[in-house]
Amino acid sequence: MSDQPNIIFIITDQQRFDTINALGFPYMETPNLDRLVNEGTTFTNCFITAASCAPARASLFTGYYPHTTGVLKNADLWRRSWIEKLAQVGYRCVNVGKMHSYPYDTPLGFHERFVVENKDRYLEERFYFDEWDKALQIRGHVKQQRELYRKRDDYRDALGAFDWELPEDLHSDMFVGDMACWWLESKPLTQPLFLEIGFPGPHPPYDPIPRYAESYLKKDLPLLEVTQEELDGQPEPFKELRTHNQEVDHDSVVLELNPTEEQRHRQRAYYLANVTMIDEKVGKILNTLDKKGYLENAIVIFTSDHGDCLTDHGHSQKWTMYDTITKMPLVVWSPGRIPAGQKIEGLCQQMDIGPAILELAGAEVPAGLEARSIRPAMFQEEWQEREYVFAEQAQDGILTGTQFMTMVRSKDWKLVHFLDEPWGQLFDLKNDPTEVRNLWDDENYVEQKRELLGVLREWRIRSGYETSDWAAEWR
């Protein structure tokens, strides 16, 4: 057996932090994710670096902030990753499911890729035929998608929540989970293995198999109250974003500007049901890994790429910098190797898992990474948590009201800056943890605002200097 651990990296798409029962959210039905949390180590203040899929993932798999990678929005070119380093030290690198590289089928260091991308592709790679598309086609089915949903009488009222009506095994999350198990069962034992499993859900359309939604529809689910005062206090780009998402359907979601409690509850129930579907497949994957002998020497990592407002704060999906978007579950599980039930509260960036993986694998950690390894924290060694975390988002086909948005967050304060624009957001997280009272224009908080803008400035200057050699081999 190789001394190098098998590394199983499971990443969902658009899964909020508050969707795992064992992390303190009792309305969730997630027994398998609960097992990972209870028997593993969870970073409870882990933050992504971007408010949409591709920039966040490019950052995660390179160890650099979006402004360094140049991947600032979906469909920006992304073709390199630290997965190449794992391949160089003997890992068999396999991807099943979503990565959101661009182009979609870019190798990224993988030896094998079984690509399954967004459920409802419309703006990018619309005619790319992935493994899921092929399965639907060969079974004689037409994928549930925007053009078909638009024909429904309830399309604009459903907030993107629709029943999955095709065979259960053809649901994208079922398909990816089953394909990962198929690979493990059909291939000879390969060690060391790096297996990335990318579930397309719970990203919209929120399309669970109906039986998974039944119990959630009966529950009292937490919905953040949205007041006119909060909406009035939001910066102009976010007001425009609300209007845009009401006028244009993205991922089969039409934002109702004043949804009823019933609409909000149904959307939330369908979203959470999709999480439970994924949880079930995580359990099947763990059982298959065990049966095939991989768990004797393995590390399982679970996370997601960003969250979803789900009408909280009056918004649809991502493209904002609220904690419901930027705060991610990050769980590392390896019984006998990594402490069980450990909760690490220090601030970290999600990309900090990258150098930790390279260290665990015995691979070279490139000099100059902006990611800082969280490996010491996993093993209860001395670790320096981050004083601040940052996130970025460039203008795209959805966030149309600003060129560039940047967030800086400490444990107690958050500031959101808009390039060349007078508005912004400032939140006192200690007294306003749900981020509903924007203090940007409040004269009583001028010093906090000035301090955080200074942190933002120094961070960008330092980043430009310290990463000046990151592309040296291509110069």
Side-chain angles (χ1 to χ4, degrees), residues 171-463:
H171 186 283
S172 59
D173 292 319
M174 295 290 191
F175 180 79
V176 166
D178 290 344
M179 177 169 268
C181 293
W182 161 81
W183 190 93
L184 291 165
E185 290 168 344
S186 63
K187 300 278 183 174
L189 187 65
T190 302
Q191 291 183 306
L193 172 68
F194 177 74
L195 175 60
E196 188 275 353
I197 304 170
F199 285 98
H203 187 290
Y206 312 111
D207 57 357
I209 294 163
R211 61 188 172 87
Y212 288 88
E214 289 175 4
S215 63
Y216 285 109
L217 286 167
K218 298 173 184 175
K219 293 183 182 184
D220 182 16
L221 302 175
L223 302 170
L224 184 64
E225 181 186 7
V226 181
T227 67
Q228 192 60 48
E229 181 182 7
E230 180 191 359
L231 296 175
D232 291 343
Q234 291 183 2
E236 293 303 312
F238 285 3
K239 294 175 182 177
E240 181 170 331
L241 178 63
R242 273 173 47 80
T243 301
H244 174 99
N245 280 327
Q246 196 273 331
E247 295 174 347
V248 182
D249 53 343
H250 292 289
D251 305 299
S252 302
V253 184
V254 180
L255 174 65
E256 168 56 55
L257 295 181
N258 295 291
T260 65
E261 199 78 2
E262 183 182 0
Q263 284 176 293
R264 296 186 70 197
H265 183 273
R266 181 175 178 275
Q267 181 196 53
R268 191 71 55 101
Y270 274 51
Y271 173 85
L272 299 181
N274 205 324
V275 173
T276 293
M277 288 171 50
I278 292 170
D279 179 86
E280 189 174 285
K281 288 303 174 187
V282 169
K284 182 179 178 183
I285 290 165
L286 292 175
N287 289 338
T288 306
L289 287 164
D290 191 20
K291 183 174 68 174
K292 296 298 291 186
Y294 284 103
L295 288 189
E296 295 174 16
N297 180 28
I299 298 171
V300 176
I301 299 165
F302 178 85
T303 191
S304 191
D305 60 356
H306 54 75
D308 190 322
C309 273
L310 295 170
T311 68
D312 288 349
H313 304 289
H315 283 280
S316 176
Q317 297 205 64
K318 53 268 189 186
W319 304 289
T320 61
M321 293 297 182
Y322 298 106
D323 276 6
T324 52
I325 306 303
T326 59
K327 185 177 179 180
M328 284 296 98
L330 176 61
V331 187
V332 185
W333 178 87
S334 185
R337 180 188 273 112
I338 293 171
Q342 182 177 211
K343 305 286 197 308
I344 296 173
E345 297 182 0
L347 288 176
C348 68
Q349 300 272 192
Q350 186 191 54
M351 65 177 174
D352 294 343
I353 192 66
I357 288 172
L358 294 177
E359 290 168 348
L360 291 164
E364 175 192 3
V365 178
L369 286 189
E370 294 181 286
R372 305 177 193 170
S373 175
I374 53 176
R375 182 187 177 279
M378 295 178 196
F379 294 97
Q380 300 178 326
E381 298 169 5
E382 186 177 347
W383 170 67
Q384 185 64 51
E385 66 177 277
R386 289 180 180 266
E387 187 176 0
Y388 301 98
V389 290
F390 305 90
E392 307 170 299
Q393 182 63 41
Q395 185 179 73
D396 59 14
I398 301 160
L399 183 69
T400 56
T402 185
Q403 282 185 294
F404 197 70
M405 171 176 60
T406 314
M407 178 204 83
V408 53
R409 186 197 194 280
S410 67
K411 279 191 172 179
D412 294 334
W413 290 91
K414 176 186 287 188
L415 179 141
V416 182
H417 171 270
F418 296 90
L419 181 63
D420 290 334
E421 294 163 357
W423 38 73
Q425 288 181 304
L426 178 67
F427 295 112
D428 176 356
L429 300 173
K430 210 168 190 178
N431 296 305
D432 180 23
T434 55
E435 304 171 275
V436 298
R437 185 179 171 219
N438 183 10
L439 304 174
W440 180 267
D441 292 319
D442 192 321
E443 293 182 359
N444 295 311
Y445 298 92
V446 169
E447 282 306 311
Q448 287 86 352
K449 180 176 168 182
R450 182 181 293 121
E451 179 183 338
L452 289 171
L453 286 171
V455 170
L456 208 55
R457 179 191 64 239
E458 295 300 311
W459 165 68
R460 283 302 300 264
I461 294 171
R462 184 178 298 108
S463 172

